[in-house]
Amino acid sequence: MSRFLLKEVTDYFVFHGSNVHMASLDARKAFDRVNHVKLFNVVINKGLPGRLVKAIIDWYGKIFSIVRWNDRFSESRIVKSGIRQGGILSPIFFNIYMDVLLSTLKSSEHGCHPGKTFVGCIAYADDLILLCASVCNLQKMLTICDNVGRQLDIPFNAKKSFPFKVGKRELYRLP
């Protein structure tokens, strides 16, 4: 679905004589970095029922970690971040958490808008592709990602992120 959407949006803009400036972003250790308190606040702000919120808080509030080293055990510590990869509800929690970023990008009104539809960001798990018709607005979107990522404790990995451009005359990847 993501490939199809990306192709359709770029084809639309190129057909209409515009370039599409994009940036591929990788959130560094995103599932491990989900801050539980911030997750609870996001879930509350989304208006989930109180009983469900209490169950989530109770569930994540009881996660402890103990390290074993040479037949010795450390003291138990409360785990304050991370969602269980492979857990049934983990993708839902992660999407709710990352929706803060996606909603901020959408409300910024930067990005591609074929017709009246916002397609400025395509997200798949912890990877994002930002799409914009102007380099200036793409930079603004990158700044939003950096700022909101810092608020959520999810930095983006510069080594796995890169900008590129698709246009009628050119297709290239910037260094």
Side-chain angles (χ1 to χ4, degrees), residues 59-109:
W59 185 24
Y60 276 96
K62 293 180 179 174
I63 300 175
F64 292 89
S65 178
I66 297 173
V67 176
R68 179 180 171 191
W69 185 286
N70 292 333
D71 295 327
R72 295 191 151 215
F73 294 91
S74 69
E75 294 180 24
S76 64
R77 300 282 183 196
I78 296 173
V79 176
K80 298 179 182 179
S81 65
I83 53 176
R84 296 179 179 126
Q85 293 186 36
I88 294 172
L89 294 176
S90 295
I92 294 168
F93 292 150
F94 185 74
N95 288 341
I96 290 170
Y97 195 70
M98 290 301 286
D99 188 57
V100 173
L101 172 60
L102 302 178
S103 296
T104 304
L105 287 169
K106 183 177 181 180
S107 67
S108 76
E109 298 190 14

Side-chain angles (χ1 to χ4, degrees), residues 112-123:
C112 288
H113 293 84
K116 295 183 181 182
T117 304
F118 172 77
V119 189
C121 180
I122 299 172

